[in-house]
Amino acid sequence: MPLEERSHVFLALVLSFSVAYTLFVIPIDISMLYLARFLMGVGLGVSQSISTVYIAEISTPNVRGNLAVIPAMTGCLGVVSCQVLAKFLEWKQLAIVFAAINIPFIIMVLLMPESPVYLISKDKIEEAHKVLRRLRGKNWNVTKELTEIKKRTEGTGSTSSKTAINDFFLPHVIKPVAIAFTLMFFFQTSGINLVLTFAPQKS
């Protein structure tokens, strides 16, 4: 099964998390721990964004809003799971457990279908039809949905210009991004995750 551009991004995320947890397990010096934490942060940020977009593109309108909250909910579930396991495991053992989770992760990435919206935007109509049939089942009017997606995609392309790198440095964009980045930077560097995770071992 050929992998498209977005599937490559998911595979890159798996690699990022795998390298990060490996560095946690066998750190030679503290700089490796900093690098591991950076890779995990990049992976988490990208995965939250792309998974939300992917879910919205493959779901039907009547459940799209409900399904779009799945990344946030699973993120919270992951934090809780980490805190529970940290009660019984040392941090290196915990890193090994979460590194092992990347194995089923990569298998699921290889099996998941490409977004039909993405395929239509690349004029791969036949592939989009097959993906929608796989996602919706044999009783769904796939042709109708394909037409609606194509109209929506063409309308978006005709009314908006392509995003350029310079757009990210516009005042109304860079200010909220800088504020959000600064808040998250100090939130993470304060060590709050370490306290929340391993506080039960010290109680």
Side-chain angles (χ1 to χ4, degrees), residues 84-181:
V84 172
L85 290 173
K87 174 67 177 178
F88 310 100
L89 301 175
E90 295 294 330
W91 63 277
K92 283 191 177 182
Q93 296 172 327
L94 196 62
I96 293 173
V97 170
F98 286 114
I101 294 177
N102 284 290
I103 297 174
F105 182 18
I106 192 171
I107 293 173
M108 288 186 286
V109 166
L110 292 172
L111 294 175
M112 74 181 192
E114 184 55 83
S115 161
V117 176
Y118 173 79
L119 291 174
I120 291 175
S121 70
K122 300 297 181 181
D123 291 325
K124 299 180 179 181
I125 307 300
E126 191 63 32
E127 290 184 41
H129 188 281
K130 292 179 181 179
V131 168
L132 276 176
R133 180 60 66 196
R134 175 182 171 186
L135 292 170
R136 305 290 189 258
K138 61 181 181 179
N139 297 323
W140 189 267
N141 191 342
V142 171
T143 303
K144 180 182 177 181
E145 185 171 356
L146 272 175
T147 303
E148 293 174 351
I149 294 175
K150 191 171 183 179
K151 287 181 179 178
R152 192 163 62 245
T153 304
E154 290 174 349
T156 302
S158 62
T159 57
S160 61
S161 58
K162 292 184 177 181
T163 302
I165 296 297
N166 293 337
D167 294 338
F168 292 100
F169 297 96
L170 295 174
H172 67 279
V173 175
I174 192 65
K175 288 181 180 179
V177 169
I179 292 172
F181 179 84

Side-chain angles (χ1 to χ4, degrees), residues 35-49:
L35 176 60
R37 190 65 184 89
F38 174 78
L39 290 174
M40 292 179 68
V42 171
L44 179 61
V46 175
S47 63
Q48 287 277 2
S49 303

Side-chain angles (χ1 to χ4, degrees), residues 181-195:
F181 179 84
T182 302
L183 287 173
M184 290 305 299
F185 175 81
F186 286 108
F187 177 75
Q188 293 296 325
T189 54
S190 67
I192 185 64
N193 288 333
L194 182 65
V195 174

Side-chain angles (χ1 to χ4, degrees), residues 43-55:
L44 179 61
V46 175
S47 63
Q48 287 277 2
S49 303
I50 194 172
S51 59
T52 302
V53 173
Y54 178 78
I55 290 172

